[in-house]
Amino acid sequence: MINKYNYLLALSGFALLTGCSQNKNTDQEAAKAISADEIKSHIAVLANDSLMGRKPFTAGETKATAYIASEFKKAGLEPGNNGAYFQDVPMVEITSTPSETMEITGGKSPMTLHALTDFVTSTRQELPTVDLKKSPLVFAGYGVVAPEYHWNDYAGLDVKGKTVIVLVNDPGFKNGDPTFFKGDTMTYYGRWTYKYEEAARQGAAGVIIVHQTEPASYGWSVVTNSFSGAKLYLQQKDKHLSRCKVEGWITEDAAQKLLAAAGITGDIRAIARKKDFKAIPLNMDVSLTLNNKLKYSTSHNVIGIIKGSSQPGEYVLYTAHWDHLGIGKADAKGDSIYNGAVDNASGVAAIISVAKAFQKAKEKPKRSIVFLAVTAEEQGLLGSEYYATHPIYPLNKTIADLNMDALGNYGETKDIAITGKGQNELEDYVSDIAKQDGLTIVGDRHPGSGSYYRSDHFNFAKLGVPALDINNGSNSKTQGPTYGEDKQKEYNEQRYHQPADNYSDDMDATGMAQIADILYRIGTKLSNETTFPGWKPGSEFKAVRDKSMGK
């Protein structure tokens, strides 16, 4: 595989260097490697239109991964996968074309819903055609089975052959009781991925999530851009036939009309979060056909390593996903390339800068440092899932995962936001650096969005590796205490998963450099210690780590 990619690197103009400098460098030189200008230079390349939105299986992937491998080589990293800079990630691309309408029949008020306007659907089942034919509809509340919270929306319910309608997020969101689930902080039970997984475990034929902007934390345009068209999945021996036939979303307006036709009116979230809630058969059926095109191919994670000087068999891992959404629906300006400058050319640019900083540092790390740029995050965290389940370096010898995703492009802040604050001891390292730098620590700006479960660090966390994801807070060093919040809102509404997430020379990358510097310093400390940071009491990931460590 490496020979093929060396050739592709040369074709792309990103030929691998044959050697690296042997000159001794100072720590001041290491610090210079993490700069706004350095980070912007990489974003400019990775978010260029010529990479066509960096979608896996495209020429954009070839160019993006070639560039990253070339930069890893320039930074002095050794190939991280037995002599190769690439890890094969076998996937299947399924392009599902739904029938133009979803037909709701059997009740007093038959309904016709329209694709993209009212619903978005896809399938993981590797079949030419998938049908729902008059599948009985059931409103299953939040679609949650959570024994630790004494909650089971499927209790006493047989959904085999049926299609469940479920709400996004979990029963704790906006309930007013911070002890109910985790209050406004989303648990994994609130994630759309969980809804699909649980419906499949229950044997449902279909699962449709009701989209609501506040509990989802994104608008309907994100659903239509992210969940329609070609989708990628890791290849599975059972061809995904254990999953529901149909997985999808429905607009809040369409859902309310559907539920009202079955006699369910009012605040559907309030109804579903009642402790005595029982799933409600709607006495209506749904019919829908999906025609599929299947393509089997291999995408790639990019991996490089700095081998530790005295503890090379223990690893500090840096991650960022290189992919974005490719070419899709054009915006009002006619732009159809989803370049993903912030999401996540910024994170890849940052880990390249961190890699250079480690190589320029006067003191070399005792533990090994691994840099992993993963594929298909936008398709469901697939590249990190594949690495986590097919690790090149043992997970019980992996000290931590330090992840960078969609770094703030609004400058340095006086506060640092820890995603999923309260999870593990890596947060204490952030706090120590914050004290040194005169910064404050805050949690998620929007804990209901479930950010801890929405990026690649999650796949390491759920297998026990302490995982950290941080970003700039709201209090701008130059623009005031609410500037960051305003800029993040603007980004979410106008650029997130849209063609407008472009590179600009005016982009302020000083905040990106601030986060990269903090994570570099944390990695430096971790790489020279002998202890292993752990999960804090109460974390859902502590038990699996303890087991993997023989505790």
Side-chain angles (χ1 to χ4, degrees):
M1 206 63 206
I2 186 64
N3 291 334
K4 169 186 173 184
Y5 267 85
N6 278 336
Y7 173 67
L8 290 172
L9 292 177
L11 284 181
S12 302
F14 303 136
L16 294 177
L17 300 182
T18 55
C20 56
S21 173
Q22 300 299 314
N23 295 330
K24 291 184 178 181
N25 299 287
T26 66
D27 289 334
Q28 287 79 10
E29 288 177 320
K32 290 178 183 178
I34 302 176
S35 70
D37 288 343
E38 168 77 12
I39 288 171
K40 283 176 67 173
S41 71
H42 298 303
I43 296 175
V45 174
L46 291 166
N48 188 274
D49 280 356
S50 65
L51 273 66
M52 301 177 294
R54 302 191 310 276
K55 189 170 184 178
F57 289 7
T58 68
E61 164 171 358
T62 302
K63 291 181 179 181
T65 55
Y67 178 78
I68 297 164
S70 134
E71 291 301 311
F72 280 1
K73 182 71 174 181
K74 288 179 184 177
L77 305 189
E78 296 180 32
N81 184 19
N82 299 310
Y85 281 101
F86 303 93
Q87 180 188 35
D88 290 354
V89 182
M91 294 192 289
V92 57
E93 180 183 79
I94 304 179
T95 305
S96 295
T97 303
S99 47
E100 292 185 4
T101 60
M102 177 188 290
E103 301 297 334
I104 310 296
T105 58
K108 295 180 180 179
S109 303
M111 297 176 60
T112 297
L113 304 181
H114 298 275
L116 296 182
T117 302
D118 299 314
F119 71 90
V120 172
T121 52
S122 61
T123 185
R124 296 172 192 248
Q125 294 196 358
E126 298 168 41
L127 298 170
T129 302
V130 172
D131 280 309
L132 285 180
K133 293 183 178 180
K134 293 188 176 181
S135 174
L137 284 166
V138 179
F139 177 49
Y142 285 91
V144 167
V145 178
E148 66 271 39
Y149 296 112
H150 308 289
W151 195 273
N152 187 350
D153 284 321
Y154 288 97
L157 183 63
D158 180 3
V159 295
K160 290 180 175 60
K162 300 175 183 178
T163 295
V164 292
I165 306 290
V166 299
L167 302 178
V168 73
N169 216 305
D170 62 46
F173 183 72
K174 298 301 179 183
N175 177 63
D177 180 357
T179 66
F180 185 49
F181 279 68
K182 289 186 178 180
D184 288 346
T185 299
M186 184 190 286
T187 65
Y188 184 56
Y189 297 114
R191 286 289 288 146
W192 60 267
T193 49
Y194 169 81
K195 313 287 183 180
Y196 290 172
E197 291 164 1
E198 188 58 50
R201 282 191 286 268
Q202 297 292 330
V207 51
I208 300 174
I209 301 172
V210 178
H211 173 266
Q212 294 175 303
T213 297
E214 183 186 29
S217 79
Y218 42 79
W220 182 247
S221 65
V222 174
V223 175
T224 58
N225 289 339
S226 303
F227 294 90
S228 62
K231 293 289 294 176
L232 299 177
Y233 307 100
L234 295 180
Q235 292 182 26
Q236 302 292 345
K237 290 181 180 179
D238 74 344
K239 304 289 186 180
H240 294 94
L241 296 182
S242 61
R243 298 296 294 241
C244 297
K245 286 183 177 182
V246 172
E247 300 174 340
W249 293 75
I250 188 173
T251 65
E252 181 177 12
D253 182 60
Q256 287 181 330
K257 291 177 182 177
L258 190 156
L259 295 173
I264 303 172
T265 59
D267 185 344
I268 54 177
R269 281 153 58 180
I271 293 169
R273 72 165 65 103
K274 291 180 179 178
K275 293 186 178 180
D276 61 351
F277 172 81
K278 300 293 183 185
I280 304 170
L282 300 185
N283 298 317
M284 291 184 286
D285 303 324
V286 58
S287 297
L288 176 75
T289 298
L290 290 167
N291 293 310
N292 302 317
K293 291 182 180 179
L294 307 176
K295 177 183 177 182
Y296 295 89
S297 192
T298 300
S299 188
H300 304 87
N301 293 331
V302 189
I303 185 166
I305 187 172
I306 300 171
K307 291 183 180 176
S309 60
S310 61
Q311 298 158 251
E314 296 176 355
Y315 309 91
V316 176
L317 177 65
Y318 285 88
T319 55
H321 73 91
W322 59 256
D323 67 297
H324 204 238
L325 300 175
I327 298 174
K329 180 181 177 182
D331 63 12
K333 297 180 180 179
D335 187 359
S336 61
I337 302 177
Y338 291 67
N339 286 312
V342 169
D343 185 14
N344 184 39
S346 67
V348 175
I351 67 168
I352 292 171
S353 296
V354 170
K356 289 182 178 180
F358 270 105
Q359 285 292 16
K360 290 183 176 181
K362 183 177 181 180
E363 182 180 351
K364 297 305 177 184
K366 294 178 181 178
R367 286 168 162 163
S368 295
I369 313 294
V370 178
F371 297 88
L372 179 65
V374 295
T375 182
E377 190 268 359
E378 301 292 2
Q379 306 291 326
L381 317 183
L382 300 184
S384 56
E385 179 184 349
Y386 189 82
Y387 181 91
T389 54
H390 302 78
I392 297 170
Y393 305 105
L395 296 188
N396 65 352
K397 296 293 184 180
T398 300
I399 310 304
D401 172 44
L402 307 177
N403 188 58
M404 284 180 260
D405 193 357
L407 302 181
N409 66 333
Y410 46 86
E412 291 187 73
T413 54
K414 297 179 181 179
D415 52 347
I416 301 300
I418 298 176
T419 307
K421 188 174 182 291
Q423 285 283 5
N424 60 58
E425 293 171 357
L426 295 173
E427 298 171 17
D428 301 336
Y429 291 67
V430 183
S431 296
D432 289 345
I433 290 175
K435 289 178 183 177
Q436 296 171 27
D437 293 358
L439 306 173
T440 58
I441 298 296
V442 296
D444 294 340
R445 287 187 289 268
H446 303 287
S449 67
S451 296
Y452 198 76
Y453 314 107
R454 290 173 60 175
S455 191
D456 293 299
H457 58 278
F458 173 59
N459 279 319
F460 296 97
K462 70 181 182 180
L463 292 179
V465 177
L468 180 69
D469 186 84
I470 64 173
N471 214 321
N472 301 95
S474 301
N475 191 357
S476 168
K477 286 189 174 182
T478 60
Q479 303 295 326
T482 64
Y483 183 75
E485 179 77 10
D486 294 341
K487 296 297 287 185
Q488 189 63 38
K489 181 180 179 182
E490 178 188 43
Y491 173 78
N492 286 339
E493 293 177 352
Q494 299 180 21
R495 290 190 292 281
Y496 173 62
H497 282 199
Q498 298 181 55
D501 188 3
N502 285 318
Y503 171 79
S504 167
D505 288 338
D506 296 330
M507 177 181 286
D508 187 346
T510 56
M512 299 176 183
Q514 181 184 30
I515 296 301
D517 175 70
I518 291 171
L519 290 177
Y520 165 66
R521 289 154 69 186
I522 291 172
T524 298
K525 184 175 181 180
L526 289 168
S527 69
N528 292 300
E529 292 179 336
T530 58
T531 56
F532 282 64
W535 295 94
K536 294 189 175 182
S539 169
E540 59 264 51
F541 309 113
K542 187 176 187 300
V544 66
R545 182 63 162 185
D546 289 347
K547 183 178 179 180
S548 72
M549 302 296 286
K551 294 183 180 179

